[in-house]
Amino acid sequence: MKTDPETKPDLSAQIAKAIRDAIIEGRMIVDERLPSEAELADQFKVSRPTVREALKRLAAQSLIRTQRGAFGGAFVRHLSYEEAYGQHITTSTLLLSMNAVSFETACEARYALERACAPLACTRRSADHLATMRAEIHRQGQPGLSDEAFCASDVTFHRALVDAANNPVLSYQLAGAVEAMQPLMNMITFTARSRETIVQLHTRIADALEHETPQQADTALHELEAYTLTLGRDVMAARTRQNA
Amino acid sequence: MKTDPETKPDLSAQIAKAIRDAIIEGRMIVDERLPSEAELADQFKVSRPTVREALKRLAAQSLIRTQRGAFGGAFVRHLSYEEAYGQHITTSTLLLSMNAVSFETACEARYALERACAPLACTRRSADHLATMRAEIHRQGQPGLSDEAFCASDVTFHRALVDAANNPVLSYQLAGAVEAMQPLMNMITFTARSRETIVQLHTRIADALEHETPQQADTALHELEAYTLTLGRDVMAARTRQNA
DNA sequence: TACATTTAATTGTCTGACAATTTGTTGGCA
DNA sequence: TGCCAACAAATTGTCAGACAATTAAATGTA
């Protein structure tokens, strides 16, 4: 592990990169212990605080974990789906908010991806997934529900749809798209009328999965996309009027 | 910005979380300057090295950037698509390799997502995207190409397909799926015979996009998935034999 | 005014120290 | 012998203070 001698960025960044590359390229395996901070400082010819900054960078990316005490130290971490989800969602959310992605674009992406899951979900959905979807549909029909709670339930419903495809890679990729859109969706006010329409479409989707009719799921998702889009446009239009 | 007084994790982690939350919840906007390290140390009642470790954590997540000199400091960073891509791909690649995702699962996810793009790509593809795809198809037909180069060209081709949908959110989500699979794909040896089959399928996909026939693109992608799967299975079978 | 110089603010790095935590070891005791 | 407590060692976590490097603003000068 060596640092490039002529590069400009911070020493701690260089060292972090050197170690990161070692992990990513498989030169260090899961649960392998890194040299102690003092040893790394010697190896890289820097002080311990600099090494520590590098290690904290890696910890922030969930690439290592540290343990105090004798025979403690930094260990290569096993990246779990849960943590990867978390990072992915954080990044996606920021990306959407900072880059002012339009509601249309986000919506289009989300439903395109969900439609990709539908055929798989039709063949693989478990009773559990169906039950979750039915339960959320029921909740969405309750009159006293706040907009936020309705939205959260919506996310749960759609995650169940995605998870029903029973493909962890798909679930991971889509978690970002669905959950990252929640802040955008939260801006929508769901009237009793619009909730009714959405519940009907959700019911059609759940039915399609239960009866294994992918074509109907596809159609319902198309309609839901179109409907969500009109709701979103109304909000945006109202907002524009307000600002003008 | 305050730290939870009763939590156990490192001070630097707590401080990083406090600042991260402020950024994610929009309490700090892009390009806003954070207090200097000395001020943060005062605010949080910790030493400067501890603050620095926290800031390095945030820098590792591309949430802030730092600038030296007078009126320098840490600034909330504008997260670009390119950086988000990079992080997403790194995480996805690690996830695939560490969790021993099967070739089948990864393949299924990848092509399901690509099929989701196809209809959009048919209506929106630019001359540029088509040209890229044709160029890569031509390259893939060259006899002297190494397996790695063939693979890289394959990735470029498929990224062009995804980008043709002209939806940055879709491109971002799929970059992980397509590029993260490259290490898995690299294990495959592409014979002249299999390359010919792939080139034919790629041609059909490009044709479908050019003629705006989404159904044909869908079919070709299904066939490509099935074919890739058989290639992958052969490799796995050979590998198993070798180990036995 | 235009340009060079100084100055102040800020991050980057180092040194050395001590606290906190965990593990292995040793010694005493039954 | 076998068990338990105290101790030693290794390692990360935190702190204080210092100096170097860098950069923008302020200042002085032609």
Side-chain angles (χ1 to χ4, degrees):
Chain A
M1 286 190 288
K2 272 183 189 162
T3 51
D4 195 328
E6 91 223 6
T7 43
K8 324 168 195 170
D10 298 348
L11 284 177
S12 71
Q14 289 177 41
I15 293 167
K17 183 176 187 317
I19 301 175
R20 177 163 41 236
D21 287 348
I23 295 175
I24 290 175
E25 289 167 17
R27 295 206 302 278
M28 305 203 66
I29 58 171
V30 166
D31 283 335
E32 187 176 341
R33 182 179 175 280
L34 273 70
S36 74
E37 295 175 353
E39 285 176 86
L40 287 171
D42 269 359
Q43 271 187 38
F44 288 110
K45 303 269 173 49
V46 296
S47 68
R48 196 159 79 93
T50 304
V51 167
R52 282 183 62 78
E53 287 179 10
L55 292 179
K56 294 310 159 200
R57 287 174 190 263
L58 300 177
Q61 295 182 307
S62 304
L63 284 171
I64 60 169
R65 70 190 148 78
T66 54
Q67 238 175 356
R68 286 226 271 207
F71 288 70
F75 298 83
V76 177
R77 194 165 181 186
H78 183 97
L79 185 60
S80 72
Y81 275 108
E82 287 69 28
E83 277 158 337
Y85 277 167
Q87 288 184 230
H88 187 199
I89 290 167
T90 303
T91 308
S92 301
T93 306
L94 272 172
L95 200 54
L96 255 57
S97 70
M98 282 186 178
N99 290 274
V101 169
S102 72
F103 189 81
E104 280 86 355
T105 304
C107 215
E108 177 179 281
R110 173 181 165 168
Y111 286 103
L113 294 172
E114 287 196 31
R115 282 196 298 274
C117 291
L120 290 167
C122 278
T123 63
R124 304 221 186 116
R125 82 284 182 284
S126 70
D128 230 39
H129 295 130
L130 285 175
T132 303
M133 294 173 81
R134 299 291 185 194
E136 295 302 329
I137 289 174
H138 179 256
R139 176 175 303 161
Q140 287 157 22
Q142 301 293 325
L145 211 65
S146 72
D147 280 341
E148 284 74 22
F150 184 83
C151 235
S153 168
D154 187 70
V155 168
T156 308
F157 175 86
H158 285 276
R159 283 213 56 160
L161 165 63
V162 170
D163 288 338
N166 199 28
N167 182 314
V169 178
L170 265 183
S171 293
Y172 166 69
Q173 299 292 350
L174 264 78
V178 175
E179 300 207 10
M181 263 199 71
Q182 197 167 9
L184 284 176
M185 296 291 290
N186 267 331
M187 301 188 317
I188 299 178
T189 308
F190 292 98
T191 62
R193 188 185 190 76
S194 64
R195 287 188 189 192
E196 196 185 325
T197 307
I198 290 172
V199 164
Q200 277 177 6
L201 284 165
H202 281 177
T203 305
R204 279 173 54 193
I205 293 169
D207 287 347
L209 256 59
E210 187 159 3
H211 304 142
E212 303 185 19
T213 50
Q215 191 53 56
Q216 291 186 14
D218 193 81
T219 309
L221 280 167
H222 266 294
E223 287 180 36
L224 185 54
E225 176 180 353
Y227 188 68
T228 307
L229 212 49
T230 61
L231 287 180
R233 276 199 233 270
D234 287 349
V235 173
M236 299 302 155
R239 182 158 301 206
T240 307
R241 263 199 308 282
Q242 211 169 32
N243 291 344
Chain B
M1 291 190 284
K2 271 183 192 163
T3 50
D4 196 326
E6 93 226 6
T7 44
K8 318 168 197 170
D10 298 348
L11 285 176
S12 71
Q14 289 177 41
I15 293 167
K17 183 177 187 320
I19 300 175
R20 176 163 42 237
D21 287 348
I23 295 175
I24 290 175
E25 288 166 18
R27 297 205 300 279
M28 304 203 65
I29 57 170
V30 167
D31 283 335
E32 187 174 343
R33 182 177 174 281
L34 273 70
S36 74
E37 295 176 355
E39 285 177 87
L40 287 171
D42 270 0
Q43 271 187 39
F44 288 111
K45 303 269 173 48
V46 296
S47 68
R48 195 158 82 93
T50 303
V51 167
R52 282 184 61 79
E53 287 180 10
L55 293 179
K56 293 312 157 198
R57 286 174 190 265
L58 299 177
Q61 294 182 307
S62 304
L63 284 171
I64 60 169
R65 71 188 148 78
T66 54
Q67 234 177 349
R68 288 227 271 206
F71 288 72
F75 298 84
V76 177
R77 193 163 184 189
H78 182 97
L79 185 60
S80 72
Y81 276 106
E82 286 70 28
E83 277 157 338
Y85 276 169
Q87 288 185 230
H88 187 200
I89 290 168
T90 302
T91 308
S92 301
T93 307
L94 270 172
L95 202 53
L96 255 56
S97 68
M98 282 187 177
N99 291 274
V101 170
S102 72
F103 189 81
E104 280 86 355
T105 305
C107 213
E108 177 179 283
R110 175 182 163 169
Y111 286 103
L113 294 172
E114 287 197 31
R115 283 196 298 274
C117 291
L120 291 167
C122 278
T123 63
R124 304 220 186 117
R125 82 285 182 283
S126 71
D128 229 38
H129 295 129
L130 285 175
T132 302
M133 294 173 80
R134 299 292 185 193
E136 294 303 329
I137 288 174
H138 179 256
R139 176 174 303 161
Q140 288 157 22
Q142 301 293 324
L145 212 64
S146 72
D147 281 341
E148 285 73 23
F150 184 84
C151 233
S153 168
D154 187 70
V155 167
T156 308
F157 175 87
H158 286 277
R159 282 212 57 160
L161 165 63
V162 170
D163 289 339
N166 199 27
N167 182 314
V169 178
L170 265 183
S171 293
Y172 164 68
Q173 299 291 350
L174 265 77
V178 175
E179 301 208 11
M181 264 198 71
Q182 198 167 9
L184 285 176
M185 297 292 289
N186 268 331
M187 301 187 317
I188 298 178
T189 307
F190 293 98
T191 62
R193 190 184 187 77
S194 64
R195 287 188 189 190
E196 197 185 324
T197 308
I198 291 173
V199 164
Q200 277 177 7
L201 285 164
H202 281 177
T203 306
R204 280 174 53 193
I205 293 169
D207 287 346
L209 257 59
E210 186 160 4
H211 304 142
E212 303 185 19
T213 50
Q215 191 52 56
Q216 291 186 14
D218 194 81
T219 309
L221 281 166
H222 265 293
E223 287 180 36
L224 185 55
E225 176 179 354
Y227 188 67
T228 307
L229 212 48
T230 61
L231 287 180
R233 275 199 235 271
D234 287 349
V235 172
M236 299 302 156
R239 184 159 300 207
T240 307
R241 262 197 308 282
Q242 211 167 33
N243 291 344

